[in-house]
Amino acid sequence: MAGLKRVLAVHDVSCFGKCSLTVALPIISAAGIETTVLPTAVLSTHTGGFEGFTYRDLTEDVMGIVEHWQTLGLHFDAIYSGFLGSFEQIDLLIELISRLKSSDTQVIVDPVMADHGELYGLFPADFPQGIARLCAVADVIIPNTTEAALLLGRDWTPPPYDEAVVRGLCQDLCEELGAAATVLTGVSFDEEHLGAASFEASSGRFALAQEALIPEMYHGTGDVFGSVLVAALVRGATLAQAAEAAVRFTVASIARSYEAGTDNRYGVDFENGLAGLVALIEEVKAR
Ligand code: PXL
């Protein structure tokens, strides 16, 4: 049997509220992939809707960890980054990627910084320019539509969208930022569906994955989506297949939390999808 594939997940640890590493680690592991973690900060909760959260910045620890790993000659099949707290962390991540990436490492960057037309309050107005530099070294970027607009310096418009506009947006993100591929989340064309669009610059391949819309927003869904996308890519799915698996898994997680009436800030019930995750990815791959 071939050895395990290995992903490096670089995110914060939000101790309560299911997002970032507390989502990436269980999901990617459940997909049968070894998950190395690099926590960039430790917070009592994520920053979405909680007051008075603690924030321990771990910027100073990052390079020491990377340098130790370099002495071990570790190989990563993918590097997956999410929430970053400062320009310094963005620069560190670019350096980390250049040191730890091999020729076959897929670099997946989630430019976590905004949602619903607004940059998160803790970031300065020029943060998108910093994140854009990070996107330039990515194989796949996974912005939501607000992040896409900020990265391109455009105004955000709420969904529903026109398919040609979404395709153009994905193409512009690749061309203007330099990323090889884009998976755009929060894409809908009518009031009843929501999902993602994917675009690969090299082939020009554009695909959509849509599911029934659940009329409630939950925190951490972007990280659930990103983690499944990374897991599926590392398991050999195409970009379009990985986006489809990620949409289906995320929507099913949202549906369970909606059914249970869970507080939106507490994250979604991805746990009850973990046992079926490998089967879902393999089913989507077989199509
Ligand atoms: O889910 C993205 C995320 C991750 N980590 C922290 C956050 C957020 C989004 O708000 O606040 C700390």
Side-chain angles (χ1 to χ4, degrees):
M1 198 176 151
L4 291 172
K5 301 265 189 186
R6 181 184 295 133
V7 169
L8 167 59
V10 187
H11 300 245
D12 66 281
V13 177
S14 289
C15 298
F16 177 76
K18 291 195 289 186
C19 68
S20 43
L21 275 185
T22 65
V23 164
L25 178 57
I27 290 180
I28 299 169
S29 295
I33 298 162
E34 182 180 326
T35 311
T36 304
V37 297
L38 207 172
T40 52
V42 179
L43 296 83
S44 51
T45 65
H46 59 69
T47 65
F50 293 107
E51 298 289 323
F53 52 83
T54 68
Y55 191 112
R56 165 86 55 198
D57 186 271
L58 297 178
T59 303
E60 277 184 23
D61 295 287
V62 170
M63 255 325 133
I65 293 171
V66 171
E67 280 165 9
H68 182 220
W69 288 346
Q70 284 186 289
T71 70
L72 303 175
L74 297 180
H75 173 267
F76 297 104
D77 295 287
I79 298 174
Y80 167 38
S81 77
F83 179 93
L84 296 170
S86 63
F87 285 102
E88 198 182 348
Q89 288 200 341
I90 294 171
D91 290 335
L92 273 178
L93 203 74
I94 294 170
E95 176 67 19
L96 172 155
I97 291 166
S98 80
R99 291 187 186 213
L100 297 179
K101 181 183 154 79
S102 309
S103 57
D104 62 349
T105 304
Q106 301 190 68
V107 176
I108 298 118
V109 168
D110 187 347
V112 176
M113 60 180 162
D115 212 350
H116 312 299
E118 303 277 346
L119 187 67
Y120 294 145
L122 71 165
F123 293 131
D126 55 351
F127 201 65
Q129 281 111 280
I131 292 285
R133 285 192 289 110
L134 176 60
C135 291
V137 300
D139 295 300
V140 183
I141 58 170
I142 43 179
N144 60 38
T145 59
T146 304
E147 290 155 349
L150 286 167
L151 287 167
L152 293 171
R154 299 182 187 170
D155 290 334
W156 178 76
T157 46
Y161 302 111
D162 183 76
E163 190 177 317
V165 170
V166 169
R167 180 194 283 262
L169 195 55
C170 291
Q171 201 162 348
D172 292 348
L173 283 161
C174 288
E175 273 170 20
E176 293 187 29
L177 299 174
T182 294
V183 177
L184 184 65
T185 62
V187 169
S188 74
F189 303 105
D190 57 42
E191 307 292 337
E192 281 95 47
H193 298 88
L194 182 65
S198 61
F199 176 79
E200 260 165 355
S202 60
S203 63
R205 183 146 194 254
F206 175 74
L208 295 168
Q210 297 278 298
E211 286 281 319
L213 181 142
I214 296 160
E216 196 66 66
M217 305 303 297
Y218 291 88
H219 203 90
T221 51
D223 299 329
V224 172
F225 180 93
S227 301
V228 177
L229 185 95
V230 168
L233 287 173
V234 169
R235 290 188 66 97
T238 64
L239 190 71
Q241 290 167 341
E244 186 181 336
V247 167
R248 281 174 53 182
F249 186 91
T250 306
V251 169
S253 303
I254 293 171
R256 285 188 290 270
S257 294
Y258 185 64
E259 183 84 3
T262 309
D263 187 318
N264 311 44
R265 302 170 301 171
Y266 290 10
V268 288
D269 176 357
F270 68 85
E271 291 89 338
N272 279 297
L274 292 179
L277 178 58
V278 169
L280 170 65
I281 294 172
E282 294 306 314
E283 183 206 317
V284 170
K285 273 170 62 185
R287 293 243 206 108

